[in-house]
Short mmCIF file of all heavy atoms in Angstrom, two decimals:
data_model
loop_
_atom_site.label_atom_id
_atom_site.label_comp_id
_atom_site.label_asym_id
_atom_site.label_seq_id
_atom_site.Cartn_x
_atom_site.Cartn_y
_atom_site.Cartn_z
N MET A 235 101.52 85.03 99.18
CA MET A 235 102.47 85.99 99.74
C MET A 235 101.78 86.94 100.72
O MET A 235 100.58 87.14 100.66
CB MET A 235 103.12 86.81 98.62
CG MET A 235 104.64 86.66 98.60
SD MET A 235 105.39 87.62 97.27
CE MET A 235 105.25 89.29 97.92
N ALA A 236 102.56 87.51 101.60
CA ALA A 236 102.03 88.48 102.55
C ALA A 236 103.17 89.38 102.99
O ALA A 236 104.33 89.03 102.85
CB ALA A 236 101.44 87.77 103.76
N TYR A 237 102.80 90.54 103.49
CA TYR A 237 103.81 91.43 104.04
C TYR A 237 104.16 90.97 105.46
O TYR A 237 103.33 90.36 106.14
CB TYR A 237 103.29 92.87 104.05
CG TYR A 237 103.49 93.58 102.73
CD1 TYR A 237 102.88 93.10 101.56
CD2 TYR A 237 104.29 94.71 102.63
CE1 TYR A 237 103.06 93.72 100.34
CE2 TYR A 237 104.47 95.35 101.41
CZ TYR A 237 103.87 94.86 100.27
OH TYR A 237 104.06 95.49 99.05
N VAL A 238 105.40 91.23 105.88
CA VAL A 238 105.82 90.86 107.23
C VAL A 238 106.46 92.05 107.93
O VAL A 238 107.02 92.94 107.29
CB VAL A 238 106.82 89.67 107.21
CG1 VAL A 238 106.15 88.39 106.78
CG2 VAL A 238 108.02 89.99 106.35
N ILE A 239 106.36 92.06 109.26
CA ILE A 239 106.93 93.13 110.08
C ILE A 239 108.18 92.61 110.77
O ILE A 239 108.15 91.56 111.41
CB ILE A 239 105.89 93.61 111.12
CG1 ILE A 239 104.66 94.18 110.39
CG2 ILE A 239 106.50 94.65 112.04
CD1 ILE A 239 103.50 94.55 111.31
N ASN A 240 109.27 93.34 110.64
CA ASN A 240 110.53 92.87 111.24
C ASN A 240 110.82 93.58 112.57
O ASN A 240 110.02 94.37 113.07
CB ASN A 240 111.69 93.02 110.24
CG ASN A 240 112.01 94.47 109.92
OD1 ASN A 240 111.89 95.35 110.76
ND2 ASN A 240 112.42 94.71 108.67
N GLU A 241 112.01 93.32 113.13
CA GLU A 241 112.37 93.82 114.46
C GLU A 241 112.59 95.32 114.52
O GLU A 241 112.82 95.87 115.59
CB GLU A 241 113.60 93.06 114.98
CG GLU A 241 114.89 93.31 114.20
CD GLU A 241 115.03 92.40 112.97
OE1 GLU A 241 114.08 91.66 112.63
OE2 GLU A 241 116.09 92.45 112.34
N ASP A 242 112.53 96.00 113.40
CA ASP A 242 112.64 97.46 113.40
C ASP A 242 111.34 98.13 113.85
O ASP A 242 111.29 99.35 114.02
CB ASP A 242 113.00 97.96 112.00
CG ASP A 242 114.43 97.59 111.61
OD1 ASP A 242 115.26 97.37 112.51
OD2 ASP A 242 114.71 97.53 110.40
N CYS A 243 110.29 97.35 114.05
CA CYS A 243 109.01 97.88 114.52
C CYS A 243 109.17 98.52 115.89
O CYS A 243 109.70 97.90 116.81
CB CYS A 243 107.98 96.77 114.57
SG CYS A 243 106.41 97.27 115.33
N ILE A 244 108.69 99.76 116.02
CA ILE A 244 108.74 100.47 117.31
C ILE A 244 107.36 100.54 117.96
O ILE A 244 107.13 101.32 118.88
CB ILE A 244 109.33 101.88 117.15
CG1 ILE A 244 108.52 102.70 116.12
CG2 ILE A 244 110.80 101.81 116.73
CD1 ILE A 244 108.90 104.19 116.08
N ALA A 245 106.43 99.73 117.46
CA ALA A 245 105.08 99.63 118.02
C ALA A 245 104.37 100.98 118.07
O ALA A 245 103.68 101.29 119.03
CB ALA A 245 105.12 98.98 119.40
N CYS A 246 104.52 101.76 117.00
CA CYS A 246 103.89 103.10 116.98
C CYS A 246 102.39 103.03 116.72
O CYS A 246 101.66 103.96 117.04
CB CYS A 246 104.57 103.97 115.92
SG CYS A 246 104.20 103.48 114.22
N GLY A 247 101.94 101.96 116.07
CA GLY A 247 100.51 101.79 115.82
C GLY A 247 100.00 102.38 114.52
O GLY A 247 98.82 102.24 114.21
N THR A 248 100.84 103.06 113.79
CA THR A 248 100.41 103.73 112.56
C THR A 248 99.80 102.76 111.55
O THR A 248 98.78 103.05 110.93
CB THR A 248 101.59 104.47 111.90
OG1 THR A 248 102.18 105.34 112.85
CG2 THR A 248 101.12 105.27 110.68
N CYS A 249 100.40 101.61 111.40
CA CYS A 249 99.94 100.66 110.39
C CYS A 249 98.58 100.05 110.72
O CYS A 249 97.80 99.71 109.83
CB CYS A 249 100.96 99.54 110.21
SG CYS A 249 101.31 98.62 111.74
N LEU A 250 98.29 99.94 112.01
CA LEU A 250 97.10 99.22 112.47
C LEU A 250 95.81 99.74 111.82
O LEU A 250 95.00 98.96 111.30
CB LEU A 250 97.00 99.33 113.99
CG LEU A 250 96.05 98.39 114.71
CD1 LEU A 250 96.53 96.95 114.59
CD2 LEU A 250 95.94 98.78 116.17
N ASP A 251 95.63 101.05 111.84
CA ASP A 251 94.39 101.64 111.32
C ASP A 251 94.36 101.71 109.79
O ASP A 251 93.33 101.98 109.20
CB ASP A 251 94.22 103.05 111.88
CG ASP A 251 93.95 103.04 113.37
OD1 ASP A 251 93.42 102.03 113.88
OD2 ASP A 251 94.29 104.05 114.03
N GLU A 252 95.51 101.48 109.16
CA GLU A 252 95.58 101.62 107.70
C GLU A 252 95.22 100.34 106.96
O GLU A 252 94.88 100.37 105.78
CB GLU A 252 97.00 102.05 107.29
CG GLU A 252 97.43 103.38 107.87
CD GLU A 252 96.60 104.54 107.33
OE1 GLU A 252 96.11 104.45 106.21
OE2 GLU A 252 96.44 105.54 108.07
N CYS A 253 95.28 99.20 107.65
CA CYS A 253 95.04 97.93 106.96
C CYS A 253 93.55 97.75 106.66
O CYS A 253 92.74 97.73 107.58
CB CYS A 253 95.55 96.78 107.80
SG CYS A 253 95.26 95.18 107.01
N PRO A 254 93.19 97.61 105.39
CA PRO A 254 91.78 97.49 105.01
C PRO A 254 91.13 96.18 105.43
O PRO A 254 89.90 96.08 105.45
CB PRO A 254 91.81 97.61 103.48
CG PRO A 254 93.17 97.18 103.09
CD PRO A 254 94.08 97.61 104.21
N VAL A 255 91.93 95.18 105.76
CA VAL A 255 91.35 93.89 106.14
C VAL A 255 91.66 93.50 107.58
O VAL A 255 91.48 92.35 107.99
CB VAL A 255 91.82 92.76 105.18
CG1 VAL A 255 91.30 93.00 103.77
CG2 VAL A 255 93.34 92.64 105.17
N ASP A 256 92.13 94.47 108.37
CA ASP A 256 92.43 94.24 109.80
C ASP A 256 93.34 93.04 110.02
O ASP A 256 93.09 92.22 110.91
CB ASP A 256 91.13 94.07 110.59
CG ASP A 256 90.34 95.37 110.70
OD1 ASP A 256 90.98 96.44 110.71
OD2 ASP A 256 89.10 95.32 110.76
N ALA A 257 94.38 92.95 109.22
CA ALA A 257 95.29 91.80 109.32
C ALA A 257 96.41 92.02 110.33
O ALA A 257 97.19 91.11 110.59
CB ALA A 257 95.89 91.49 107.95
N ILE A 258 96.49 93.23 110.90
CA ILE A 258 97.61 93.58 111.78
C ILE A 258 97.16 93.55 113.24
O ILE A 258 96.11 94.07 113.58
CB ILE A 258 98.17 94.96 111.43
CG1 ILE A 258 98.60 95.00 109.95
CG2 ILE A 258 99.37 95.30 112.34
CD1 ILE A 258 99.04 96.37 109.46
N THR A 259 97.99 92.93 114.09
CA THR A 259 97.69 92.90 115.52
C THR A 259 98.83 93.55 116.31
O THR A 259 99.99 93.51 115.90
CB THR A 259 97.48 91.46 116.04
OG1 THR A 259 98.57 90.64 115.61
CG2 THR A 259 96.19 90.87 115.51
N GLU A 260 98.46 94.14 117.45
CA GLU A 260 99.41 94.84 118.30
C GLU A 260 100.35 93.88 119.02
O GLU A 260 100.07 92.70 119.16
CB GLU A 260 98.65 95.65 119.36
CG GLU A 260 97.84 96.79 118.81
CD GLU A 260 97.06 97.50 119.92
OE1 GLU A 260 97.71 98.03 120.82
OE2 GLU A 260 95.82 97.48 119.86
N GLY A 261 101.47 94.43 119.52
CA GLY A 261 102.43 93.66 120.29
C GLY A 261 103.69 94.47 120.47
O GLY A 261 103.75 95.61 120.03
N ASP A 262 104.68 93.90 121.14
CA ASP A 262 105.97 94.58 121.26
C ASP A 262 106.52 94.83 119.86
O ASP A 262 107.12 95.86 119.58
CB ASP A 262 106.96 93.71 122.05
CG ASP A 262 106.56 93.60 123.52
OD1 ASP A 262 105.84 94.50 124.01
OD2 ASP A 262 106.98 92.63 124.18
N ILE A 263 106.32 93.83 119.00
CA ILE A 263 106.49 94.00 117.57
C ILE A 263 105.15 93.61 116.96
O ILE A 263 104.62 92.56 117.28
CB ILE A 263 107.63 93.10 117.02
CG1 ILE A 263 108.98 93.63 117.52
CG2 ILE A 263 107.60 93.03 115.52
CD1 ILE A 263 110.17 92.79 117.12
N TYR A 264 104.61 94.48 116.12
CA TYR A 264 103.31 94.19 115.52
C TYR A 264 103.42 93.00 114.56
O TYR A 264 104.49 92.70 114.06
CB TYR A 264 102.78 95.43 114.79
CG TYR A 264 102.12 96.44 115.71
CD1 TYR A 264 102.67 96.73 116.96
CD2 TYR A 264 100.96 97.09 115.33
CE1 TYR A 264 102.06 97.65 117.80
CE2 TYR A 264 100.35 98.02 116.16
CZ TYR A 264 100.91 98.30 117.41
OH TYR A 264 100.31 99.21 118.23
N LYS A 265 102.26 92.36 114.32
CA LYS A 265 102.29 91.15 113.53
C LYS A 265 101.21 91.19 112.44
O LYS A 265 100.12 91.70 112.66
CB LYS A 265 102.03 89.95 114.45
CG LYS A 265 102.35 88.60 113.86
CD LYS A 265 102.25 87.52 114.93
CE LYS A 265 102.76 86.17 114.44
NZ LYS A 265 102.12 85.72 113.20
N ILE A 266 101.54 90.65 111.28
CA ILE A 266 100.58 90.57 110.18
C ILE A 266 100.12 89.12 110.02
O ILE A 266 100.94 88.21 109.94
CB ILE A 266 101.21 91.08 108.87
CG1 ILE A 266 101.47 92.59 108.97
CG2 ILE A 266 100.31 90.75 107.67
CD1 ILE A 266 102.26 93.16 107.81
N ASP A 267 98.81 88.94 109.96
CA ASP A 267 98.23 87.63 109.70
C ASP A 267 98.38 87.32 108.21
O ASP A 267 97.72 87.93 107.36
CB ASP A 267 96.75 87.64 110.10
CG ASP A 267 96.06 86.32 109.84
OD1 ASP A 267 96.66 85.43 109.20
OD2 ASP A 267 94.89 86.18 110.26
N ALA A 268 99.26 86.38 107.90
CA ALA A 268 99.56 86.06 106.50
C ALA A 268 98.35 85.54 105.74
O ALA A 268 98.25 85.71 104.52
CB ALA A 268 100.69 85.04 106.44
N GLU A 269 97.43 84.93 106.45
CA GLU A 269 96.21 84.40 105.81
C GLU A 269 95.29 85.54 105.38
O GLU A 269 94.62 85.46 104.35
CB GLU A 269 95.47 83.49 106.78
CG GLU A 269 96.24 82.26 107.21
CD GLU A 269 96.33 81.23 106.09
OE1 GLU A 269 95.30 80.98 105.44
OE2 GLU A 269 97.44 80.71 105.85
N ALA A 270 95.26 86.60 106.18
CA ALA A 270 94.34 87.70 105.93
C ALA A 270 94.92 88.77 105.01
O ALA A 270 94.19 89.45 104.28
CB ALA A 270 93.91 88.33 107.25
N CYS A 271 96.23 88.93 105.03
CA CYS A 271 96.88 90.00 104.25
C CYS A 271 96.65 89.80 102.76
O CYS A 271 96.86 88.72 102.21
CB CYS A 271 98.38 89.99 104.54
SG CYS A 271 99.33 91.18 103.58
N THR A 272 96.24 90.90 102.09
CA THR A 272 95.97 90.85 100.65
C THR A 272 97.11 91.46 99.85
O THR A 272 96.98 91.70 98.64
CB THR A 272 94.67 91.59 100.32
OG1 THR A 272 94.81 92.96 100.74
CG2 THR A 272 93.48 90.96 101.02
N ASP A 273 98.24 91.76 100.54
CA ASP A 273 99.42 92.23 99.81
C ASP A 273 99.26 93.62 99.22
O ASP A 273 99.90 93.93 98.21
CB ASP A 273 99.71 91.24 98.67
CG ASP A 273 101.12 90.68 98.74
OD1 ASP A 273 101.77 90.86 99.77
OD2 ASP A 273 101.54 90.08 97.74
N CYS A 274 98.43 94.45 99.82
CA CYS A 274 98.15 95.76 99.22
C CYS A 274 99.31 96.74 99.38
O CYS A 274 99.45 97.68 98.61
CB CYS A 274 96.87 96.35 99.79
SG CYS A 274 97.02 96.91 101.50
N GLY A 275 100.12 96.56 100.44
CA GLY A 275 101.28 97.41 100.64
C GLY A 275 101.04 98.72 101.37
O GLY A 275 101.97 99.48 101.60
N THR A 276 99.80 98.99 101.74
CA THR A 276 99.47 100.25 102.41
C THR A 276 100.23 100.42 103.71
O THR A 276 100.76 101.50 104.01
CB THR A 276 97.96 100.33 102.69
OG1 THR A 276 97.26 100.12 101.48
CG2 THR A 276 97.58 101.67 103.29
N CYS A 277 100.33 99.37 104.51
CA CYS A 277 101.02 99.45 105.80
C CYS A 277 102.49 99.77 105.60
O CYS A 277 103.06 100.56 106.36
CB CYS A 277 100.85 98.13 106.55
SG CYS A 277 101.41 96.67 105.65
N ALA A 278 103.10 99.19 104.59
CA ALA A 278 104.52 99.44 104.34
C ALA A 278 104.76 100.90 103.98
O ALA A 278 105.77 101.49 104.37
CB ALA A 278 105.01 98.53 103.21
N ASP A 279 103.81 101.50 103.30
CA ASP A 279 103.95 102.90 102.89
C ASP A 279 103.91 103.86 104.07
O ASP A 279 104.52 104.93 104.03
CB ASP A 279 102.83 103.28 101.90
CG ASP A 279 103.02 102.62 100.54
OD1 ASP A 279 104.15 102.20 100.24
OD2 ASP A 279 102.03 102.55 99.80
N VAL A 280 103.19 103.50 105.13
CA VAL A 280 103.03 104.43 106.26
C VAL A 280 103.99 104.16 107.41
O VAL A 280 104.11 104.97 108.32
CB VAL A 280 101.58 104.42 106.80
CG1 VAL A 280 100.61 104.83 105.70
CG2 VAL A 280 101.21 103.08 107.39
N CYS A 281 104.69 103.05 107.41
CA CYS A 281 105.57 102.70 108.54
C CYS A 281 106.78 103.63 108.59
O CYS A 281 107.55 103.71 107.63
CB CYS A 281 106.04 101.25 108.41
SG CYS A 281 107.17 100.79 109.75
N PRO A 282 106.98 104.32 109.72
CA PRO A 282 108.07 105.30 109.83
C PRO A 282 109.46 104.66 109.89
O PRO A 282 110.45 105.34 109.63
CB PRO A 282 107.76 106.04 111.13
CG PRO A 282 106.98 105.07 111.94
CD PRO A 282 106.16 104.28 110.95
N THR A 283 109.54 103.38 110.25
CA THR A 283 110.85 102.74 110.36
C THR A 283 111.11 101.73 109.24
O THR A 283 112.09 101.00 109.28
CB THR A 283 110.98 102.00 111.72
OG1 THR A 283 110.01 100.96 111.79
CG2 THR A 283 110.78 102.96 112.89
N GLU A 284 110.22 101.72 108.26
CA GLU A 284 110.34 100.79 107.13
C GLU A 284 110.51 99.35 107.61
O GLU A 284 111.33 98.58 107.10
CB GLU A 284 111.49 101.20 106.21
CG GLU A 284 111.25 102.56 105.57
CD GLU A 284 112.38 103.02 104.63
OE1 GLU A 284 113.28 102.22 104.35
OE2 GLU A 284 112.31 104.18 104.17
N ALA A 285 109.72 99.01 108.65
CA ALA A 285 109.81 97.67 109.24
C ALA A 285 108.93 96.65 108.51
O ALA A 285 108.96 95.48 108.83
CB ALA A 285 109.40 97.73 110.71
N ILE A 286 108.13 97.12 107.55
CA ILE A 286 107.21 96.22 106.85
C ILE A 286 107.65 96.03 105.40
O ILE A 286 107.86 96.99 104.67
CB ILE A 286 105.77 96.77 106.87
CG1 ILE A 286 105.36 97.18 108.29
CG2 ILE A 286 104.81 95.73 106.31
CD1 ILE A 286 103.98 97.82 108.37
N ASN A 287 107.81 94.77 105.03
CA ASN A 287 108.27 94.46 103.69
C ASN A 287 107.58 93.21 103.16
O ASN A 287 107.09 92.39 103.93
CB ASN A 287 109.78 94.21 103.71
CG ASN A 287 110.56 95.47 104.06
OD1 ASN A 287 110.71 96.37 103.25
ND2 ASN A 287 111.03 95.54 105.29
N PRO A 288 107.54 93.05 101.82
CA PRO A 288 106.96 91.83 101.25
C PRO A 288 107.78 90.62 101.69
O PRO A 288 109.00 90.71 101.76
CB PRO A 288 107.08 92.03 99.74
CG PRO A 288 107.34 93.50 99.54
CD PRO A 288 108.03 93.97 100.79
N ALA A 289 107.12 89.54 102.00
CA ALA A 289 107.83 88.33 102.43
C ALA A 289 108.60 87.74 101.26
O ALA A 289 108.22 87.89 100.12
CB ALA A 289 106.85 87.32 102.99
FE1 LIG B 400 97.01 94.94 105.55
FE2 LIG B 400 97.75 95.59 103.09
FE3 LIG B 400 99.54 95.59 105.05
FE4 LIG B 400 98.56 93.27 104.16
S1 LIG B 400 99.85 94.72 102.99
S2 LIG B 400 98.82 93.84 106.30
S3 LIG B 400 96.45 93.85 103.66
S4 LIG B 400 97.77 96.96 104.85
FE1 LIG B 401 105.57 98.90 113.82
FE2 LIG B 401 105.81 100.23 111.52
FE3 LIG B 401 103.42 99.35 112.30
FE4 LIG B 401 104.59 101.38 113.58
S1 LIG B 401 103.86 101.39 111.44
S2 LIG B 401 103.54 99.61 114.54
S3 LIG B 401 106.76 100.78 113.48
S4 LIG B 401 105.23 98.09 111.78
#
């Protein structure tokens, strides 16, 4: 399992620095590398638009 970012992402960048395994990459909508994500949930906690959820 991994967390995923949906279309509510406003590309604010807040989640990027919070991921302990650098699984998040920038874009119009940010993306989580499912292989690298350890399911910690930290990014979901800091996202202002609640765009990150468990898959
Ligand atoms: Fe990174 Fe944790 Fe978010 Fe996965 S759930 S992308 S490991 S911060
Ligand atoms: Fe997108 Fe949320 Fe990450 Fe900001 S914190 S870049 S809105 S997923």
Side-chain angles (χ1 to χ4, degrees):
M235 239 179 75
Y237 276 61
V238 292
I239 298 174
N240 67 34
E241 66 275 7
D242 290 336
C243 173
I244 57 170
C246 71
T248 306
C249 58
L250 195 67
D251 293 333
E252 299 294 331
C253 179
V255 295
D256 290 329
I258 303 174
T259 50
E260 294 177 62
D262 291 337
I263 290 177
Y264 279 41
K265 194 172 188 306
I266 293 172
D267 179 352
E269 297 287 315
C271 176
T272 60
D273 236 13
C274 72
T276 305
C277 56
D279 289 340
V280 300
C281 178
T283 63
E284 297 180 8
I286 311 176
N287 294 284

